[in-house]
Amino acid sequence: MRGVRSIGFVALIAMFLACGGGDGGGGGPTAPPPVPQIAGHWEGVWNASGLLTDVDLFLNQSGSTLTGTFATLGEELQLTGTVTPTLMKWEAISVLPCESITGDAGLLNEAPTMMSGTIDVNATRCPFPDRFAGPVTWRRAASQAKQGRPGRVEDLAAALAERRRLLPHR
């Protein structure tokens, strides 16, 4: 009985190797998908907790590593990040140690002209806690004109305060 199992095992290994060794039938490992090239200037519209806000990314790329700046509401912050074949993630270096600023975007091809994702400005650990988070749609620069949205942090804070004042109390 032991000999029959050994013959069966050898036959199974021979069939496996004859079919290409389990790598899809091809002749060797497949190359990973290329990392999309997203370096350059991106203009976006961010829904910051219900208020539309203009945002810009200025990205430098070396392989899968990103550096650059994130600009919104009159501020420009340094950022670092990564890019994979399907996702871009970044974190801006805030001037406030109690605040984190992060973003991401899905990528659909090797040379995208649009990206959709999220931005989260989390200042809930700050003396005046707040959080602005929501979806963002990015387009390569020069494809969309600015729409006169809040241009400074103070404008956004005032608009949010007014919206909160008008909401019914629960």
Side-chain angles (χ1 to χ4, degrees):
M1 186 69 151
R2 186 178 188 121
V4 173
R5 276 194 236 168
S6 295
I7 292 172
F9 181 74
V10 169
L12 184 61
I13 294 295
M15 285 183 357
F16 179 78
L17 292 174
C19 292
D23 66 358
T30 58
V35 175
Q37 297 303 304
I38 60 172
H41 179 191
W42 293 83
E43 296 176 329
V45 177
W46 173 36
N47 184 338
S49 299
L51 294 170
L52 297 180
T53 304
D54 292 322
V55 288
D56 289 279
L57 285 177
F58 299 90
L59 298 175
N60 301 308
Q61 183 176 353
S62 176
S64 63
T65 301
L66 298 174
T67 59
T69 58
F70 167 66
T72 188
L73 303 170
E75 299 290 327
E76 191 169 294
L77 303 171
Q78 296 298 309
L79 69 80
T80 60
T82 58
V83 61
T84 70
T86 59
L87 182 68
M88 179 263 297
K89 294 181 88 166
W90 56 270
E91 180 174 356
I93 301 165
S94 175
V95 294
L96 301 174
C98 58
E99 178 180 60
S100 68
I101 303 169
T102 58
D104 62 50
L107 304 170
L108 300 177
N109 58 48
E110 294 176 40
T113 57
M114 287 187 64
M115 303 185 290
S116 293
T118 59
I119 297 174
D120 184 4
V121 177
N122 186 345
T124 56
R125 298 174 308 178
C126 292
F128 300 99
D130 214 334
R131 186 172 200 165
F132 308 106
V136 61
T137 301
W138 300 102
R139 296 181 191 275
R140 287 226 182 245
S143 63
Q144 155 185 20
K146 302 290 185 194
Q147 300 295 318
R149 291 177 263 279
R152 299 177 309 133
V153 172
E154 294 83 3
D155 298 338
L156 179 61
L160 284 172
E162 180 64 14
R163 186 181 77 183
R164 288 178 182 145
R165 187 184 69 76
L166 296 174
L167 289 175
H169 296 295
R170 295 181 185 189

